[in-house]
């Protein structure tokens, strides 16, 4: 054995954590045997306990056991290499370290740690080298009895607190380290004692007495020791410091949470708050996120550096504290005023981070609440360490994030600053995306407000409600549209249409179509003629765009292929006329609640050419409801069919509601999800009829003498209606319109007065030519009739009917002044 101790330099470490422990008495007999020893030498506890250790060694080394034990008694221990005889007859090289263990009664026992070497070069290590390796091992090792009291520990265990091995003997963990979470560690010891199963890789996190200001983590393993009869004698455990590894895992976990939780929405304020939420309490005890005002509005930050002397105002967008924040701290949404030379503004100006391990507890805080103007000091808030990181994305600084520690005792380190910069850089991209989205969304909403009607016009013919739900969540804008257009004679036009595609391009095309429809509607054309003119307009625009752009994709205008349904309702007789261009036919809910779909001939989509448009006319009972909709209302995905889904629409329309507004919203909610596959527009209109007391008409002969009778008849009617203040103006209008009809046309003449929101005067004649407003010279004897009419009424015009034309003029009853 001596030759082994004197051989060459060490080439393999003695791994104490993997050694098999064995207990020996003063004479070298085995008194404690572990499963690791059984695995190493292939002897069960019954074959080893009670026998001298020499019986487990080769003949040469067995003869040296008395000498080894003598050395142990003289030196307090021994380290060397022995050849063990395994139970299966094979020999095994074993490195052995024997050290004294004193039990609570004071009798001497020895702990032998056996490590298998096989034929590795480590067999040639000298005793001195092995002793150095064991003495310098960072792994702490200890043995406790069944009462969890220490019976042995190595010197390395002292670095984890509790003092040297001699101070531990007979004491429990809570006695030597009262600040440690000893209950959880002893729970693992009892588990190993109870089950006999080794516990490997148990992590314990806490604050060691040797490092009270820093969180530490230890990796521990526990193994039960049994006597010769298999009864538990105690627990052998090892301790290794993994604090650096633990902190690295914490940082990675924090970054993972940041990736999952920051930027889930395209909202600037919410993204800033998510950054603060993620950083507390994992990195800091208090986090504030302050952004430039322009960023919150979606605009670009102001160009150029911030002033060196003037205070800078930011807006608090995010705030999170591990505990209740004192009243002096600025609230979310409030303004924060920073002096020009304060650290946050320096970081904002230079785009560089700043860290201070220890703040002056008596120093004033940098920020003032713009509303309250009170500046709290760090001592009052309990802040002692700070990091300030600029929020910077795509070369633009958007604001600053401040990290404070209040209740944690350790100051921020360089690694903490690196982690904070990683968090802020991730959040900065999300904040910038949200800022850009806010800008685009606001622009889209402005466009939407300019294209779709804010408030449906007031009129007496229909009770109207509309609901619009776009498929484009980003802009909130699509190509579906609707409109309500008051016409002459108390009539109303209802329009619903859709443009292919979504987003701003489709919305712009929709705006062009809506403007064109309103212009054509004011000409008082029949529905089929309105669609014919609209079709020509779209086709001509497509050709013109194709010539100007010269590219295949842009050769066809966005409006080509659009659909539209145009409906005109007359409240005098309840007649409804409609035509469609590649668009679903309206549904009609009759007063008893049943639903029918109009048998409406389908014309081709706008701009593609094809058969001429046709219209149908039907009479609607008072209280009937027209439902005009786009095809997105019935779309359920990619495989939808309009006809098969009409039953769903019928069932939704049959449901009663307290108001038409609620009915309209309920139908859309029932048939479409919050994020539909296609844009959805629904326009519902409940019909009204003007009573006989609101309409009066008279047939007049084609005789100039009838003009005076017409004036008198109209005056009597206005007196009955209580509109005496309009008699003079109405007599003038009736006189001029009837005179023109007698002078320029042949056949019957009819005068009609309608009282609703305006007083409408209509004169029908069989002529086919429209009158024109003239501007006569002072010497002309005539030509002033229509000029006078235009001056004393709100509006006037001409519409053609199958057997002639109607000249009309309106005087508002809500604003009677011309």
């Amino acid at each position: 054995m001596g030759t082994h101790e004197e051989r060459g330099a060490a080439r393999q470490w003695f791994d104490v954590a993997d050694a098999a422990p064995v207990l020996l008495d003063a004479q070298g007999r085995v008194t404690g045997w572990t499963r690791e020893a059984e695995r190493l030498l292939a002897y069960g506890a019954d074959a080893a306990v009670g026998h001298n250790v020499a019986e487990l060694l080769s003949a040469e080394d067995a003869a040296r056991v008395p000498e080894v034990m003598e050395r142990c008694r003289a030196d307090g221990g021994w380290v060397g290499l022995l050849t063990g005889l395994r139970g299966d007859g094979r020999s095994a090289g074993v490195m052995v370290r024997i050290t004294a263990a004193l039990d609570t009664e004071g009798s001497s026992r020895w702990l032998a740690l056996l490590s298998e070497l096989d034929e590795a070069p480590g067999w040639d290590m000298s005793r001195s080298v092995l002793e150095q390796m064991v003495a310098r091992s960072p792994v702490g090792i200890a043995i406790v009895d069944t009462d969890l009291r220490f019976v042995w520990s190595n010197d390395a265990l002292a670095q984890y607190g509790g003092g040297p091995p001699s101070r531990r003997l007979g004491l429990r963990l809570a006695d030597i380290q009262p600040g440690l979470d000893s209950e959880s560690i002893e729970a693992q010891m009892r588990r190993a004692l109870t089950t006999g199963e080794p516990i490997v890789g148990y992590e314990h996190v806490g604050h060691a007495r040797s490092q009270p200001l820093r969180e530490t983590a230890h990796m521990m393993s526990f193994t039960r020791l049994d006597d010769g009869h298999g009864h538990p004698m105690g627990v052998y455990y090892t301790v290794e410091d993994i604090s650096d590894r633990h902190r690295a895992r914490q940082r990675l976990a924090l970054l993972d949470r940041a990736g999952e939780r920051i930027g889930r929405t395209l909202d600037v304020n919410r993204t800033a708050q998510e950054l603060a939420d993620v950083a507390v309490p994992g990195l800091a005890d208090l986090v504030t996120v302050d952004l430039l005002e322009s960023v919150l509005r979606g605009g670009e930050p102001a160009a150029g550096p911030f002033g060196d002397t003037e205070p800078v105002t930011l807006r608090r967008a995010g705030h999170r504290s591990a505990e209740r924040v004192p009243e002096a701290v600025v609230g979310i949404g409030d303004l924060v005023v920073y002096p020009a030379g304060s650290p946050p503004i320096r970081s904002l100006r230079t785009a560089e981070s700043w860290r201070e391990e220890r703040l002056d507890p008596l120093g004033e805080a940098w920020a003032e609440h713009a509303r309250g103007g009170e500046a709290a000091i760090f001592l009052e808030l309990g802040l002692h360490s700070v990091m300030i990181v600029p929020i910077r994305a795509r070369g633009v600084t958007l604001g600053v994030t401040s990290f404070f520690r209040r209740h944690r005792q350790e100051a921020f380190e360089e690694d903490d600053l690196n982690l904070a910069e990683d968090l802020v850089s991730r959040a900065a991209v999300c904040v910038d995306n949200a800022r850009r989205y806010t800008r685009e969304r606001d622009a889209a909403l402005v466009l939407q407000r300019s294209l779709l009607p804010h408030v449906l016009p007031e009129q007496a013919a229909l009770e109207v409600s509309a609901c619009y739900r776009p498929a484009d969540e980003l802009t909130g804008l699509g190509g579906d549209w609707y409109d309500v257009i008051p016409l002459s004679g108390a009539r109303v036009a209802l329009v619903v249409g859709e443009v292919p595609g979504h987003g701003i391009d489709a919305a712009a095309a929709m705006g062009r179509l809506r403007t064109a429809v309103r212009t054509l509607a004011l000409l008082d054309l029949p529905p089929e003629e309105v669609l014919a003119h609209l079709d020509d307009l779209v086709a001509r625009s497509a050709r013109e765009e194709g010539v100007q752009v010269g590219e295949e994709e842009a050769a066809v205008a966005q409006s080509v292929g659009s659909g539209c349904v145009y409906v005109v309702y007359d409240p005098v007789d309840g007649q409804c006329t409609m035509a469609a261009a590649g668009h679903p036919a309206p549904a009609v809910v009759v007063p008893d609640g049943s639903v029918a779909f109009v048998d409406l001939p389908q014309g081709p989509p706008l701009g593609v050419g094809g058969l001429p448009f046709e219209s149908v006319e039907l009479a609607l009972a008072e209280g009937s409801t027209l439902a005009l909709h786009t095809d997105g209302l019935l779309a359920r995905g990619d495989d939808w069919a309009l006809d098969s889904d009409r039953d769903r629409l019928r069932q939704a329309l049959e449901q009663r509601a307290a108001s038409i507004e609620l009915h309209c919203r309920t139908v859309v909610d029932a048939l479409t999800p919050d994020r539909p596959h296609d844009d959805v527009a629904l326009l519902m209109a409940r019909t009204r009829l003007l009573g006989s007391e609101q309409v009066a008409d008279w047939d007049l002969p084609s005789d100039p003498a009838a003009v005076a009778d017409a004036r008198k008849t109209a005056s009597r009617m206005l007196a009955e209606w209580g509109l005496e203040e309009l008699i003079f103006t109405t007599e003038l209008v009736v006189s001029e319109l009837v005179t023109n009809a007698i002078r320029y046309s042949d056949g019957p003449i009819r005068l009609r007065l309608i009282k609703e929101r305006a007083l409408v005067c209509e004169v029908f004649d069989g002529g086919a030519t429209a009158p024109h407003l003239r501007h006569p010279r002072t010497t002309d004897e005539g030509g002033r009739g229509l000029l006078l009419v235009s001056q004393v009424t709100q509006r006037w015009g001409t519409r053609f009917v199958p057997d002639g034309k109607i000249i009309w003029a309106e005087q508002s009853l809500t604003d009677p002044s011309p």
Side-chain angles (χ1 to χ4, degrees):
M1 185 171 61
T3 57
H4 290 312
E5 295 175 345
E6 295 171 357
R7 290 183 181 177
R11 287 171 288 176
Q12 179 174 325
W13 290 88
F14 177 72
D15 192 346
V16 177
D18 294 333
V22 175
L23 286 178
L24 307 176
D25 64 8
Q27 286 71 39
R29 285 192 301 270
V30 177
T31 60
W33 195 254
T34 62
R35 294 186 180 182
E36 288 79 5
E38 181 177 346
R39 176 189 56 79
L40 179 62
L41 296 178
Y43 290 103
D46 54 347
V49 176
H51 296 270
N52 194 288
V53 72
E55 300 177 26
L56 308 179
L57 303 175
S58 65
E60 179 183 355
D61 288 340
R64 302 192 64 84
V65 169
E67 178 188 351
V68 170
M69 299 307 297
E70 184 64 30
R71 292 277 298 275
C72 288
R73 286 187 289 270
D75 301 337
W78 178 87
V79 176
L81 304 175
L82 300 173
T83 301
L85 292 179
R86 292 171 49 89
D88 55 11
R90 295 187 295 110
S91 62
V94 179
M95 185 164 62
V96 181
R97 178 181 180 182
I98 302 176
T99 185
L102 295 178
D103 59 20
T104 56
E105 288 78 14
S107 59
S108 181
R109 291 193 296 176
W110 302 97
L111 173 66
L113 298 178
L114 313 180
S115 180
E116 182 178 9
L117 294 180
D118 292 330
E119 296 180 358
W123 185 259
D124 296 334
M125 291 181 183
S126 67
R127 172 179 176 176
S128 60
V129 171
L130 293 175
E131 287 178 339
Q132 292 179 50
M133 292 170 60
V134 174
R136 296 176 183 177
S137 172
V139 179
I141 306 172
I143 295 178
V144 297
D145 60 17
T146 54
D147 292 328
L148 307 185
R149 298 183 182 277
F150 283 91
V151 296
W152 177 87
S153 62
N154 69 345
D155 294 335
L157 192 64
Q159 65 183 305
Y160 305 109
S166 59
R167 189 181 301 173
R168 296 174 179 268
L169 292 178
L171 300 177
R172 291 177 57 167
L173 195 59
D175 299 328
I176 59 174
Q177 291 181 272
L180 191 66
D181 180 17
S182 58
E183 292 184 3
S184 61
I185 298 177
E186 289 188 345
Q188 301 302 317
M189 295 179 183
R190 291 191 182 92
R191 178 183 165 192
L193 278 173
T194 303
T195 64
E197 295 294 331
I199 299 174
V200 180
Y202 170 75
E203 291 191 21
H204 179 266
V205 180
H207 289 78
R209 180 169 293 183
S210 59
Q211 293 180 304
L213 304 184
R214 187 179 185 86
E215 188 177 68
T216 59
H218 298 132
M219 179 78 74
M220 308 181 73
S221 298
F222 304 88
T223 304
R224 188 175 78 179
L225 297 174
D226 296 336
D227 61 15
H229 302 288
H231 298 149
M233 297 178 55
V235 175
Y236 156 81
Y237 74 88
T238 61
V239 185
E240 183 179 0
D241 191 344
I242 58 167
S243 298
D244 292 340
R245 193 189 318 166
H246 173 72
R247 280 189 285 272
R249 284 203 307 266
Q250 284 184 317
R251 297 176 193 279
L252 290 176
L254 187 59
L255 291 175
D256 287 342
R257 287 198 302 273
E260 294 173 357
R261 297 174 56 183
I262 297 177
R264 293 176 294 179
T265 63
L266 289 172
D267 183 88
V268 175
N269 286 283
R270 185 165 180 178
T271 302
Q273 184 60 44
E274 288 168 348
L275 169 60
D277 292 341
V278 166
V280 176
L283 177 60
D285 296 305
L286 173 65
V287 174
T288 62
V289 182
D290 300 319
L291 298 176
L292 296 169
E293 284 276 8
S294 58
V295 173
L296 294 170
R297 295 193 301 267
E300 294 289 341
F306 295 96
D308 295 332
T309 59
E310 295 297 324
V312 178
T313 301
L314 302 178
R315 181 76 67 175
R316 178 63 47 84
H319 183 115
R320 176 63 64 186
S321 176
E323 295 183 2
R324 182 176 298 275
V325 179
E327 292 296 330
V329 175
V330 180
I332 294 177
D334 292 337
L335 294 175
V336 192
V337 179
Y338 288 106
S342 61
I345 301 308
R346 288 203 303 269
S347 290
L348 192 67
R349 185 172 60 246
T350 63
E352 295 180 356
S353 301
W354 180 77
R355 175 174 63 93
E356 184 69 24
E357 292 187 2
R358 291 294 171 185
L359 289 167
D360 180 3
L362 299 180
E364 290 190 353
W366 310 303
E368 289 186 359
H369 193 176
R371 186 171 57 197
E374 297 180 358
I377 61 176
F378 295 123
L379 181 62
E380 293 177 354
L381 299 180
L383 308 178
H384 65 84
S385 187
V386 64
M387 299 183 297
I388 298 178
V389 180
I391 304 172
R392 188 170 176 82
R394 301 180 177 96
V396 177
T397 303
L398 310 174
V400 292
T401 303
S402 302
F403 301 82
F404 295 93
R405 280 186 175 164
R406 300 173 62 199
H407 302 297
R408 296 185 179 197
Q409 296 302 314
E410 62 269 23
F412 285 118
E413 300 177 349
E414 190 65 29
D415 288 343
D416 296 319
L417 181 60
N418 294 334
L419 177 59
E421 290 176 338
D422 285 343
L423 287 176
V424 174
S425 65
R426 295 188 182 200
V429 175
C430 298
V431 169
D432 193 52
N433 289 339
R435 175 186 67 85
R436 292 167 180 261
Y437 163 72
T438 300
R439 181 181 59 196
E440 297 298 327
R441 181 194 60 191
D442 291 346
L445 291 178
V446 170
L447 178 61
Q448 183 185 41
R449 286 193 292 268
S450 66
L451 297 179
L452 291 176
H454 292 199
V455 179
L456 297 177
E458 296 182 0
Q459 37 74 39
L462 297 165
E463 184 183 359
V464 183
S465 180
C467 186
Y468 174 72
R469 184 168 294 174
D472 191 335
E473 183 186 8
L474 178 64
T475 63
L477 198 62
D480 290 11
W481 55 285
Y482 59 89
D483 210 345
V484 177
I485 308 171
L487 302 177
S488 64
R491 298 169 307 133
V492 176
L494 304 174
V495 192
V496 168
E498 61 181 312
V499 173
H502 311 290
I504 293 181
D505 291 339
M510 172 266 285
R512 293 196 298 267
L513 278 183
R514 179 171 177 255
T515 302
V517 169
R518 293 185 69 88
T519 302
L520 293 171
L522 295 179
L523 298 177
D524 267 325
L525 299 174
E528 68 275 13
E529 293 187 27
V530 170
L531 295 184
H533 285 291
L534 194 61
D535 180 69
D536 291 340
L537 178 64
V538 172
R540 184 168 61 252
S541 297
R543 290 192 297 269
E544 290 175 356
E545 285 193 27
V547 171
Q548 293 174 359
V549 179
E551 296 181 3
E552 184 176 354
E553 291 85 3
V556 181
Q558 184 81 31
S559 303
V560 173
S562 300
C564 181
V565 61
Y566 186 87
V567 179
V568 175
Y569 174 70
D570 190 342
V572 175
D573 55 10
Q575 293 297 309
C576 182
T577 308
M578 63 184 70
H583 198 86
V588 179
V589 184
V590 297
D592 64 4
S594 59
V595 179
F597 292 91
V598 179
D599 186 12
L600 180 63
Q602 280 295 318
L606 299 175
V608 301
L611 297 175
F613 299 100
E614 299 181 44
S615 64
V616 296
E617 185 173 351
L618 63 154
L620 297 178
E622 185 174 14
S624 300
T625 301
L626 279 166
L628 288 70
H629 63 89
T630 57
D631 54 17
L633 184 66
L634 303 181
R636 290 178 293 179
D638 298 331
D639 55 349
W640 64 276
L642 181 62
D643 293 337
S644 63
D645 286 334
R646 277 185 168 179
D647 287 340
R648 297 172 53 238
L649 177 58
R650 177 182 287 106
Q651 293 172 5
L653 290 172
E654 288 174 347
Q655 301 299 317
R656 299 285 185 173
S659 65
I660 192 170
E661 291 82 5
L662 182 60
H663 197 186
C664 185
R665 188 166 59 251
T666 301
V667 170
V668 173
D669 290 340
L671 298 180
T672 62
D674 293 337
R675 298 179 182 179
H677 298 283
D678 194 10
D679 303 321
V680 175
L682 174 63
L683 178 65
M684 298 184 69
R686 185 175 296 152
T687 61
R688 297 169 177 155
L689 286 177
L690 299 182
S692 58
E693 71 280 1
Q694 295 178 272
V695 181
D697 58 358
W698 304 270
D699 290 328
L700 303 176
S702 183
D703 183 352
V707 175
D709 294 335
R711 288 198 302 267
K712 294 177 182 179
T713 302
S715 298
R716 286 194 298 270
M717 193 71 252
L718 262 63
E720 292 182 15
W721 285 345
L723 300 177
E724 289 84 356
E725 70 275 8
L726 298 182
I727 290 178
F728 176 79
T729 305
T730 304
E731 285 183 345
L732 176 61
V733 172
V734 169
S735 178
E736 294 298 335
L737 296 185
V738 172
T739 299
N740 280 344
I742 294 174
R743 180 177 300 174
Y744 297 110
S745 65
D746 298 325
I749 298 173
R750 186 166 57 252
L751 170 65
R752 184 167 74 168
L753 297 178
I754 302 174
K755 174 194 172 187
E756 46 121 28
R757 295 184 59 82
L759 176 65
V760 182
C761 178
E762 295 182 342
V763 175
F764 164 82
D765 63 61
T769 58
H772 297 284
L773 184 67
R774 296 171 55 189
H775 297 278
R777 296 185 297 266
T778 57
T779 57
D780 291 345
E781 295 182 359
R784 295 180 176 84
L786 289 180
L787 179 61
L788 290 174
V789 170
S790 68
Q791 295 298 311
V792 299
T793 61
Q794 267 66 39
R795 60 176 188 155
W796 72 278
T798 303
R799 72 174 182 272
F800 289 92
V801 291
D803 51 352
K805 69 176 182 294
I806 295 175
I807 304 176
W808 56 269
E810 287 186 4
Q811 300 176 75
S812 174
L813 297 182
T814 57
D815 182 16
S817 61

